[in-house]
Amino acid sequence: MDWRSGRLPLKGLRVIDWSVYWAGPYLGMMLHDLGAEVIKIESPSNWDPMRTVIDVNKYAGASAKPLTAQERSNTNQHYNEWNRGKRSFAVELKEPRGRELLLKLAAHSQIVIENHRPGAKEKLRIGYDDVRAVRPDVIYLSLSGFGQTPPERDAMALGAPVELASGLFSLNGYRDSATPAKTGFSYGDPVGALTAVSAVLLAVRSWRKAGQGRNIDVSMRDALAFGIGAAFTDWSLNGTDRPRRGNRHPSFAPQGVYRTKGADEWVAISVCDDNEWRQLAGLIGADGAMTTEQRRLAHDELDALIEAWTSQRAAREIESTLQAVGVPCAAVLDYPQLAVDPQLAARGAFQKIEHPVFGTEVRSSNQWQRGDDAQPVGMPAPCFGADNRYVLGEILGMPQDEIEALERDGVIGSAILAPAE
Amino acid sequence: MNDTLADLRVVELSRTAAAAFAGRLCASAGAEVVLVEPPDGHPLRREGPFLRDEPNVETSAAHLHINAGKRSVIIDIDTDAEALRTLLNSADVFVTDLYAHVLDPFGLGWAALHKRRPSLVMTRVTPFGDNGPFAPYAGTNITGLASGGQLKITGDPDKPPLSNFGAQAEYQAGLSAFAGTVANLLLRDETGEGEYLDLSMQDVIATNLEHRSPALNLGLEANRVGLTVSATYGVYACADGWVYVTAFAPALWGRLLSVIEMPELRDGRFSTQSARLENNDELQALIATWTITKSSAELHGLALRGYPLTVMTTPAMLLESEQWRTRHVARRITHPVGGAYDLIGAPWLDDDTVTLAPAPRLGEANEELLGTRTGARA
């Protein structure tokens, strides 16, 4: 993707990003990466909980620099990861004057995104119809657990629990186990965010062609279900519950995750065809002439043979040995290993950036500009309310004394009101 | 959104679900998607389960879902790359997961195609991307989860890391590839010139990790924890299924207390979140005694009233749910060989009335799109 010339697909568009936790902020950050100006909206009395609820910095005992609660709210390493590159406008939305300011800004914005609990935007009267009254062609996207439709819209949904509601959890699990399994994180969030960014881009294309706005409803549950849509199709065709598959594959055999000689270090190996099998069989001392069907039937014995070989070797050594003969294999990387992985480094996936309070941070880069197109990561996440004057002065053209009055009256602010102890 | 790309032809040359998902999303957005298959068909056609568990290249569930809405032509690029080059002369987008070193010799690399058809948008999604020391490495869905860091954090601590059901690494890569492709189409709409996206599955997985930033910036450790992160954030067994309890924040804990009604929970040992974490195992045991007495239906009823509970739902339950019927998430369509099946049209809310065509029969558009080049060899 050659965007070096600065031609970015959303250049010239402004986004109001009234979002919290992970999915919405990640969506906003991707819109920034695609060229939009993204303005994160929070309130002094009601900020993005990611700043404080999961106060990870507090638990980092080794941190050399002790931070105040207010400083921690500006350096949360969850918040700062998913809000990179944005502006921050901190305005009290419960105050009529605050709400007016938001709607004024909306009149200057093409896109509004939000992922609050359905009902919150209606209560504050900043929903699609409210914004459309001041910006008829707005693209307004709501991202939620179950969608904006009854009856389930009112159920609470974060990205981890929503996995249970999507069907994915019921199918996940170790082979033949009666117990289901979860992914190891809030998986609904990134899948919901990637779905939502696609929907916004499609809406922008329609808007550029026909000038029409749109109200978009993306649900993390539906997005997760689409990814396992084959299971829904299977159920409708056959009406059968399937045994859990664990690390095996319906076609490839053998496939598994095998112990190596390091403690809790593993490799994933996945044999797709007879040629790959002949190569692996030669190394582990198995019969290279076995067909796929024979390998499936003898999977348990082959797993034992493979693990007898892998458990004598280091994960990276196994990976390079098998890749040298064309067998799909990867070391199972943990976080410290990701940080020093030579491939991710060559792609420019993670880069160092300076944050005014935290200091040097490692941030992920624009996922569509890596490899030969890798660009330096731009601005860090904004401190709370850092761009109030930019928004009011430069975008809305408000005089200095009016801005100061808003500050005095607490309609805007530059600190959260009640930081955690 | 079902017609946003209706003016475009997408040619998909894929062997994995990553590029196939990207192509499928193009179809969901209204594009004409031409799936270029080898003579023995796309690998998804051979991936079970099948209708009535009888292997058939037309009735694999993965094929019926991921290739829905596409057209199919057979081209053996080893012997007839010219057929594909010709087809690309009419294409707006070329989506593939074949490596540059495989396609370049056929004149199907970005440089050659860009010269031949400057308006073409090309997206390539591979296990590791085009550059870097591992670029040529072979990979599948499970190695993508491994190299991107998602595998290590999934599963039980005393068992090997666990791959998720389905093709989750390929799905995430497919979603990102689709978004990047539409972004490039927006640029093309303005300039008339095509763009190239080189996407790495490892990159996408490693980017989408929740705890990577705290791990890399604060040195916090994270490993697989099984079903339960903590007593106030994890999965519990209920009478006939499983339920997620989400009560890590003070307000959520208050909501939970108001429905559980166990005096023991109001004990000082559990009065703050720090105390709850300190006495985690005791708390977990107490909550478990409550959830096990409740049915999924009861707990779901509480969830609809705003209590921080989420029950396990199976695909069968979802297909019957009022929520999905209201949202038209899945529609029943009829395939000429597979018969009627339920298809999820798009990951976003499908607000228009357009329904996708069923997945194509192998090579069904050969004659129309390739003319005398029937592609299919005896």
Side-chain angles (χ1 to χ4, degrees), chain A residues 48-118:
Chain A
D48 179 351
M50 206 62 139
R51 289 186 182 275
T52 50
V53 168
I54 309 165
D55 194 356
V56 280
N57 299 43
K58 197 170 147 185
Y59 300 112
S63 174
K65 194 158 80 176
L67 298 171
T68 66
Q70 198 67 242
E71 285 170 331
R72 286 207 306 278
S73 76
N74 281 322
T75 54
N76 187 293
Q77 289 302 310
H78 280 299
Y79 182 94
N80 284 10
E81 173 66 17
W82 309 107
N83 290 284
R84 166 176 65 68
K86 299 177 188 176
R87 303 271 195 173
S88 169
F89 179 38
V91 56
E92 205 55 76
L93 295 174
K94 290 184 306 200
E95 297 285 332
R97 285 154 75 197
R99 173 180 174 269
E100 281 307 308
L101 291 174
L102 182 75
L103 289 176
K104 273 187 188 159
L105 181 62
H108 290 80
S109 306
Q110 184 52 53
I111 299 165
V112 176
I113 60 167
E114 67 91 17
N115 71 326
H116 288 258
R117 185 191 277 234

Side-chain angles (χ1 to χ4, degrees), chain A residues 5 31 72 93 105 109 136 179 186 214 228 238 250 314 345 348 352 399:
Chain A
S5 53
L31 296 173
R72 286 207 306 278
L93 295 174
L105 181 62
S109 306
T179 306
S186 303
R214 194 185 280 270
I228 52 165
N238 296 308
K352 289 193 170 142

Side-chain angles (χ1 to χ4, degrees), chain A residues 1 23 67 79 83 85 124 136 190 215 234 248 311 327 338 346 356 374 383-384 392-393 416-417:
Chain A
M1 197 170 275
L67 298 171
Y79 182 94
N83 290 284
L124 290 168
N215 187 17
D234 176 33
R248 292 195 181 169
S311 58
V327 177
L338 288 177
C383 289
F384 187 84
L392 297 175
I416 62 174
L417 283 181

